[in-house]
Amino acid sequence: MSQHFGVGRLVFVGIRMNPCDVGCGVFADACSVPVSEIITVEEKDIHGKHSTSGKWQKMERLFAFTVHYVKRARRHRWKWAKVTFWCADEQLCHLWLQTLRDLLERLTLRPKHLLVFINPFGGKGQGKRIYERKVAPLFALASITTDVIVTERANHAKESLYEINLDKYDGVICVGGDGMFSEILHGLIGRTQRNAGVDQNQPRAALVPSPLRIGIIPAGSTDCVCYSTVGTNDVETSALHIIVGDSLSMDVSSVHHNSTLLRYFVSLLGYGFYGDIIKDSEKKRWMGLARYDFSGLKTFFSHHCYEGTVSFLPARHTVGSPRDRKPCRAGCSVCRQSKQRLEEEQKRPLCGLESTEEVEEWKVICGKFLAINAANMSCACHRSPRGLSPAAHLGDGSSDLILIRKCSRFNFLRFLLRHTNHYDQFDFTFVEVYRVKRFQFTSRHAEDEDRELRERGKTRFGQICSDHPLCCCTVSSSSWNCDGEILSSSAIEVRVHCQLVQLFARGIEENPQQESHS
């Protein structure tokens, strides 16, 4: 056995072996495993018999230990693997065992005690079964203790996070889909702001980051957050990222209406097409997951467009753009540099004002839109491997604002199909995309209502008829799809909060070290 040290942040333990010396004969070359990706090391009791060439031979007493570690698989998946090493020298074996355990003890970011919320109703209703069969055994192997709460109703997890003593936990785990994750997100952010005395209803409030990381065990219908932060919705992969203590900072956007917080979102905020889909699908929950396909088809053929005004503040601190074809990956330099620039920008006094936002120029766009989307991440899923905005970044303090103007059904279909292939989905004359840190939207319907109130204050009689008569011909408006939840207020203000939460993830790895069949 021999020890090898790698260059850089990882120390590698490598043990040179051959089929005759190793308990698992499929390994013929050196095995090199980063210490940071070793799950645990355990002592083994080896009896004095050994099989070579199919014949059992009595041998001297052997001493052994087993290394449980992370093994790379195809399509960004991780697998639990193990290999056993033995030798005749008891002292040498114990030395290796103690050395490895000491190295693992130094990995202070690894969780030891977790709070787990399980949604038994999300997706296909398999959350409890998935956790018990696939996740709990891995946590036990890694000596992670847990407190498990199976939710019984909507907002159960959110309400619990406001009441439970969180000081004893190293993280909160969500077993469910994107909706369950959003519930835990709101509970943690709300609890943190309450403890810090921050008013969440103030759009300009500087929110305090939560000290606890969130882990996601995917058991939903789309698992968009998992796809965008890990690259897969494989349960074992997510569990292993939690065990090794990975940490990924992620942006969160707040949505306000009239100085009242409506919701937070981390993936998609959509008005028009995606808002109509989620609103219609809620009426057809009896259809199960098929309701999304049905409502999507119905909404496409309805082809409604909505008139309004979008105003936004460009994110000049970012070092990337929505069309630069540079996706967010593990160790992303764009997120790191963008955060540094944003912090420098906020510290720099300008004309005596505390923030440069007071003097920066807002851009205003009016028109008729089929869809208005804001993507904080790529929003990738199994149906759209690259997502709604392939180059969106997880922690650069910005959101990609996508405007789809009124166009024919055929052109809109061409745009939607681009989400399933590798063509530039923004390469259309009716599509505009901007990287922003704040934006506002007001529908024509809301503008007319405000105008009506002003006119009523000026005259005794209301308007009888005009191009848009108030009596019966009101301009239609849509709803907002906020990470799968409906927001009925069309007039909103959105602000991106840079790296407000942390996940048990590391981002999508560009080049896995090895690929093998599962």
Side-chain angles (χ1 to χ4, degrees), residues 434-451:
Y434 305 93
R435 190 150 283 178
V436 305
K437 57 183 177 181
R438 289 180 64 188
F439 78 91
Q440 299 173 351
F441 174 77
T442 306
S443 69
R444 176 67 180 273
H445 179 66
E447 291 174 347
D448 286 347
E449 286 182 343
D450 292 341
R451 189 180 301 111

Side-chain angles (χ1 to χ4, degrees), residues 199-259:
D199 185 2
Q200 298 180 87
N201 289 317
Q202 293 298 325
R204 297 295 302 275
L207 301 184
V208 178
S210 172
L212 290 180
R213 285 171 286 177
I214 304 175
I216 307 173
I217 301 298
S221 53
T222 56
D223 301 315
C224 172
V225 180
C226 253
Y227 268 103
S228 298
T229 56
V230 179
T232 178
N233 68 337
D234 179 65
V235 171
E236 186 175 347
T237 301
S238 294
L240 291 173
H241 277 286
I242 295 169
I243 288 172
V244 301
D246 277 338
S247 183
L248 176 69
S249 298
M250 188 171 66
D251 296 339
V252 177
S253 292
S254 58
V255 185
H256 287 80
H257 172 72
N258 290 339
S259 295

Side-chain angles (χ1 to χ4, degrees), residues 9 13 46 82 97 158 228 324 346 355 440 496:
R9 62 185 181 89
V13 175
I46 301 297
K82 62 181 180 178
L97 189 63
K158 177 182 175 182
S228 298
D324 60 12
Q346 292 171 341
S355 174
Q440 299 173 351
V496 183

Side-chain angles (χ1 to χ4, degrees), residues 12 17 63-64 89 120 301 345 442:
F12 289 87
M17 50 195 166
F63 303 91
D89 189 334
F301 283 111
E345 178 183 284
T442 306

Side-chain angles (χ1 to χ4, degrees), residues 419-473:
H419 293 79
T420 63
N421 55 44
H422 293 279
Y423 294 103
D424 183 1
Q425 56 212 58
F426 304 132
D427 189 22
F428 293 101
T429 57
F430 55 88
V431 177
E432 302 172 35
V433 59
Y434 305 93
R435 190 150 283 178
V436 305
K437 57 183 177 181
R438 289 180 64 188
F439 78 91
Q440 299 173 351
F441 174 77
T442 306
S443 69
R444 176 67 180 273
H445 179 66
E447 291 174 347
D448 286 347
E449 286 182 343
D450 292 341
R451 189 180 301 111
E452 176 192 7
L453 292 175
R454 289 194 298 268
E455 291 298 326
R456 284 180 179 177
K458 295 179 181 178
T459 179
R460 181 177 178 182
F461 303 100
Q463 179 179 1
I464 297 178
C465 197
S466 69
D467 292 338
H468 297 287
L470 298 172
C471 51
C472 61
C473 303

Side-chain angles (χ1 to χ4, degrees), residues 49-112:
K49 287 187 178 181
H50 181 56
S51 174
T52 57
S53 304
K55 295 181 180 180
W56 289 95
Q57 299 176 357
K58 189 172 182 179
M59 298 178 59
E60 59 181 318
R61 184 182 178 187
L62 295 175
F63 303 91
F65 61 90
T66 298
V67 177
H68 300 265
Y69 65 99
V70 171
K71 181 181 180 182
R72 297 299 197 283
R74 300 179 62 188
R75 299 177 181 177
H76 306 291
R77 289 179 297 171
W78 285 9
K79 296 297 180 184
W80 162 55
K82 62 181 180 178
V83 61
T84 298
F85 305 98
W86 57 53
C87 66
D89 189 334
E90 181 180 9
Q91 185 177 0
L92 178 61
C93 182
H94 286 172
L95 176 61
W96 270 93
L97 189 63
Q98 189 58 46
T99 300
L100 289 173
R101 286 175 174 172
D102 290 343
L103 289 172
L104 293 179
E105 281 295 321
R106 297 176 190 174
L107 303 176
T108 57
L109 290 180
R110 290 197 172 188
K112 290 181 172 55

